[in-house]
Amino acid sequence: MANKILLTFLAFDLLFLLTGPLLLAVAIIFQPSMSGMSSTVSAATRLLLQNTPLTVAFFNAGLIFFTFLFSIPGAIFAKKRILLRICSWLLIACALVSLAVGLDIWFSTLQTRSNLGVMWAMQTPDEQSLLQQQFQCCGYLGLNSTSPAFQIDDVCISTAVATKLAGCVGPFASFANSFLDIVFTSMFGIVALDGIVFLCTLVVLKDRAQKERYRLIDDKSGLRGI
């Protein structure tokens, strides 16, 4: 039973370790997109990434690697239970960081349209034009609204054309929700895995404490080795 408990812990611990490189890879891949040149394909993604805490991913990945360094020797050396105790506290820290990021993004999706309206207004005319071309729309709320006027480009070539096209709020909000849903769902998945590894750690600690207790009882009763 002890071997099964330890193997289960190690299996989930390895899955936990994989979340570190995953977060690091995502941050490294998308980091250049935040400062690179926008296009009609990447304008919306770049804008959303600029408002996503990617830098926290680097910190969280480092915390995951640091936690793993305590979990492996803690699993190997049964008498070094302090290592697994430290690991359990670090797992709580990892879970809290991921949960905070996930909740922050999730809360932002509850006010997607108003948040995007603020972001839209802060963009340069060129950036707004790229968004219009990406979503085939004119202006944020359309021509007949109090939102800033549309930008003249290959899609919105004139006021007559703009009156026939809807505003960008609909397609932009739909794109943002789909993108952010993936992000916060992934973060909540990492939190769930952190919780599983935490529970496995507690089970290993309890199992070793019981075995140590039985060993002491056997020593006192003189039954050890029988």
Side-chain angles (χ1 to χ4, degrees), residues 51-91:
N51 291 272
T52 303
L54 272 182
T55 52
V56 180
F58 288 103
F59 171 78
N60 204 6
L63 188 58
I64 290 171
F65 292 136
F66 185 66
T67 302
F68 185 76
L69 292 178
F70 283 92
S71 66
I72 291 302
I76 296 174
F77 302 107
K79 294 183 179 181
K80 300 291 184 179
R81 283 183 286 172
I82 184 63
L83 295 176
L84 285 182
R85 291 194 181 99
I86 295 174
C87 176
S88 64
W89 284 107
L90 290 173
L91 283 168

Side-chain angles (χ1 to χ4, degrees), residues 51-193:
N51 291 272
T52 303
L54 272 182
T55 52
V56 180
F58 288 103
F59 171 78
N60 204 6
L63 188 58
I64 290 171
F65 292 136
F66 185 66
T67 302
F68 185 76
L69 292 178
F70 283 92
S71 66
I72 291 302
I76 296 174
F77 302 107
K79 294 183 179 181
K80 300 291 184 179
R81 283 183 286 172
I82 184 63
L83 295 176
L84 285 182
R85 291 194 181 99
I86 295 174
C87 176
S88 64
W89 284 107
L90 290 173
L91 283 168
I92 293 175
C94 290
L96 289 176
V97 172
S98 299
L99 182 62
V101 173
L103 287 176
D104 178 65
I105 296 174
W106 176 69
F107 280 126
S108 70
T109 62
L110 300 180
Q111 297 179 325
T112 301
R113 294 191 171 218
S114 59
N115 291 338
L116 292 180
V118 174
M119 293 163 57
W120 180 283
M122 295 173 61
Q123 302 310 302
T124 63
D126 290 339
E127 289 290 334
Q128 291 180 3
S129 176
L130 289 173
L131 291 169
Q132 289 179 166
Q133 294 177 66
Q134 180 173 352
F135 297 115
Q136 298 295 297
C137 54
C138 294
Y140 184 65
L141 294 175
L143 186 62
N144 299 320
S145 69
T146 57
S147 63
F150 68 92
Q151 304 300 328
I152 297 177
D153 52 31
D154 293 339
V155 174
C156 307
I157 58 177
S158 66
T159 303
V161 173
T163 57
K164 298 177 182 179
L165 295 176
C168 296
V169 59
F172 194 9
S174 178
F175 177 86
N177 282 330
S178 298
F179 180 86
L180 296 176
D181 283 352
I182 295 174
V183 176
F184 76 71
T185 301
S186 300
M187 297 309 298
F188 289 156
I190 292 175
V191 173
L193 182 58

Side-chain angles (χ1 to χ4, degrees), residues 7-28:
L7 288 175
T8 301
F9 167 77
L10 290 174
F12 281 108
D13 195 35
L14 288 175
L15 289 176
F16 166 75
L17 174 64
L18 291 177
T19 61
L22 179 62
L23 286 172
L24 196 59
V26 169
I28 292 174

